[in-house]
Amino acid sequence: PCGIRIHGGTSRRFDKKGFRIYFRSEYGGNDPNLQLFPQHDRDFFDRLILYAPSTDQAAGTRYGTYIADILTQTLFRDMGHPVCGWTPVSLYLNQEYWGMYWLRERLEDAFVEYHLGIDNMDLHHDSWYAGVAEVKEGELDYWMETLSFFHSNNMSDPEKYLTAETQY
């Protein structure tokens, strides 16, 4: 029992859309308790992503390899960093085949807590080209204060550098 909705921005322009899956009590259960990803043993998820790698296509075509993102994730993991779990899936919606997708662990507070042991954090999605910082988890105040400090101070000044090193 889960809910599903379109996910992402770029894939909305293509026939093959990305989707977000929600496991909530209002859908009949919120404990999927599923071992989904070979990269780790996490088995509880609030949300998952059905990733349609729409940006992994040659310019001006509908065709792509659909492996660039997963290749990057694999290399990052092999360097010892935490990555979202993934597995390839075939997607059928209402008995209609939508193609191959990557079932992905969603980068959110539960991901950070599981992989890094941090349970109190701020997570932002920053669109600086548009001048917007969107809060995903936590609050924006500390981030804006920190950013303001770095923008208004010269880090070649040893005193400012020490302040940054000890406070930020």
Side-chain angles (χ1 to χ4, degrees):
C2 65
I4 187 170
R5 73 175 189 138
I6 292 177
H7 169 81
T10 305
S11 71
R12 292 171 189 265
R13 295 181 288 163
F14 300 102
D15 293 338
K16 188 174 185 176
K17 313 282 187 227
F19 295 97
R20 189 175 305 165
I21 302 169
Y22 293 89
F23 298 98
R24 296 181 178 156
S25 58
E26 64 198 70
Y27 302 130
N30 62 351
D31 184 2
N33 198 16
L34 303 169
Q35 182 64 50
L36 297 172
F37 305 113
Q39 295 79 21
H40 54 71
D41 60 358
R42 182 176 174 202
D43 63 359
F44 179 84
F45 305 92
D46 294 325
R47 291 170 284 238
L48 294 170
I49 302 296
L50 282 167
Y51 179 61
S54 57
T55 57
D56 187 13
Q57 300 172 54
T61 73
R62 297 178 48 196
Y63 308 103
T65 61
Y66 301 111
I67 62 168
D69 184 68
I70 298 305
L71 176 61
T72 303
Q73 294 287 318
T74 301
L75 294 171
F76 198 67
R77 181 199 64 204
D78 290 352
M79 289 188 289
H81 302 288
V83 296
C84 295
W86 69 85
T87 193
V89 297
S90 291
L91 178 62
Y92 290 85
L93 286 176
N94 298 326
Q95 301 176 345
E96 182 180 331
Y97 180 65
W98 280 59
M100 294 297 298
Y101 279 73
W102 290 103
L103 182 64
R104 300 285 307 267
E105 184 178 10
R106 186 164 188 266
L107 181 57
E108 59 186 348
D109 60 338
F111 170 89
V112 173
E113 184 173 355
Y114 177 83
H115 290 281
L116 301 173
I118 300 170
D119 62 357
N120 183 13
M121 57 134 217
D122 296 330
L123 179 61
H124 307 116
H125 173 78
D126 301 320
S127 300
W128 295 112
Y129 63 89
V132 177
E134 178 186 351
V135 177
K136 296 290 187 181
E137 303 288 342
E139 298 181 18
L140 192 57
D141 296 340
Y142 183 72
W143 172 251
M144 296 307 291
E145 177 186 321
T146 303
L147 191 61
S148 176
F149 177 84
F150 282 100
H151 279 246
S152 60
N153 289 285
N154 184 343
M155 290 300 111
S156 65
D157 177 340
E159 185 178 318
K160 298 297 182 189
Y161 184 84
L162 182 59
T163 299
E165 189 175 53
T166 58
Q167 294 184 11
Y168 300 100

